[in-house]
Amino acid sequence: MGAPDELAYLKSLVSQLNEKIASLESKAKPPVKTPAQQLRTILVGPPGAGKGTQAPRIRDEFCVCHLATGDMLREQVQQKTPLGVEAKKIMDAGGLVSDDIMVNMIKDQLDNNKSCKNGFVLDGFPRTVPQAQKLDGMLTARGEKLDSVVQLLIDDQLLISRITGRLIHAPSGRTYHKTFSPPKKPGVDDVTGESLIQRSDDNVETLTKRLASFHAQTGPVVDYYKAKGLWHGIDASQSPKVVWDNMRKIFVSSKK
């Protein structure tokens, strides 16, 4: 074998080795999670229906941001942003924060929160038809639209039994249930051994009023999205895993 032939042969070997190394390295690396598609959805449900369980799963599975409007409002007020300052003035005066402020807070997240680049799961908004219309207008202006509105459906009496048995470790936020998920030792946190509490509003009378208000308020919004063909109902009395499996099917099919 002459020098030129040997050189060509060695170069070929190096090329093959580099390809093999690249192949092995790619297999050794954990896969980077990227969404198969963008997702923009609204999660609707009464207190205790499981929104707090399912929304983070949507966020993680589809690489979108979770926008809980109550948390967003508190954060804007704490950070003293222009919207937060305006909202605090209204709340301090005993008023309700306007729909425009709430929609602008959502828009601010979509504009500036990098985790929203693939979409969002919206929790706690809209609560009225005018809010839904303003949200639609803002998304249209951005060249975007909702993919789905998922409502967690559950009987009020079952919901009340769920919530009135709820126990909370206040410092950490860990939750238990007297019947469904009791602590190892009655009344104390599994991790710290500190006492568990029951929220003062986790009682039958308060919950009945909250649920009645929720149904009255949410009904027209649900009808609004039904008319647009975006609404999907899921039986939230099932196990969280079954609820999630049913929910995921909706998100995947809505993008096909």
Side-chain angles (χ1 to χ4, degrees), residues 182-198:
K184 294 174 183 175
K185 185 179 177 182
V188 298
D189 178 48
D190 289 350
V191 179
T192 64
E194 295 171 343
S195 295
L196 300 174
I197 63 166
Q198 187 167 29

